[in-house]
Amino acid sequence: MADDSTMTIRATFETREAADRAVEHLVQQHGIARPDIFIQSATDRNTAGSAPSGGDVSHNDGVRRDAPLEGEIEVSADIASSQLAAVQRSLGDASALRVSQR
């Protein structure tokens, strides 16, 4: 009998760019539907991450300083228990700082 139980996996990222990359890994490599993936601040503060990335870095006047860099970004999704190891590797490849499950 196959184990069809699900669990929630969470990963935190330093930048929104890394969080977006993680979402692409979840969708393209593991077949998780985008509506089943959640991105939010890892704290109670509004944030775009804890380091500049993407468009905040490639500005004519240097790195933009007006982005709310107030903390880490969390990506979470419900996955099949059988996907746990592969999803953990993908999140690590996408530069996750921490990965946990429950």
Side-chain angles (χ1 to χ4, degrees):
M1 182 174 186
D3 180 10
D4 59 356
S5 62
T6 61
M7 59 181 23
T8 301
I9 192 160
R10 288 183 164 77
T12 55
F13 298 88
E14 185 176 39
T15 65
R16 178 60 191 234
E17 181 180 29
D20 288 342
R21 186 172 43 253
V23 170
E24 292 307 313
H25 284 217
L26 294 173
V27 170
Q28 295 175 13
Q29 295 174 3
H30 304 287
I32 299 170
R34 283 183 200 279
D36 295 333
I37 302 170
F38 301 92
I39 302 172
Q40 64 186 20
S41 172
T43 67
D44 61 352
R45 302 193 67 178
N46 183 30
T47 185
S50 56
S53 69
D56 294 335
V57 175
S58 59
H59 217 56
N60 288 342
D61 298 327
V63 176
R64 289 181 59 174
R65 299 289 178 209
D66 60 343
L69 300 177
E70 303 293 336
E72 298 167 350
I73 305 289
E74 179 184 88
V75 174
S76 63
D78 289 337
I79 62 168
S81 295
S82 61
Q83 293 179 294
L84 179 60
V87 169
Q88 286 175 322
R89 279 191 302 275
S90 289
L91 293 170
D93 291 346
S95 302
L97 299 172
R98 286 176 300 288
V99 179
S100 63
Q101 70 276 342
R102 62 177 186 128

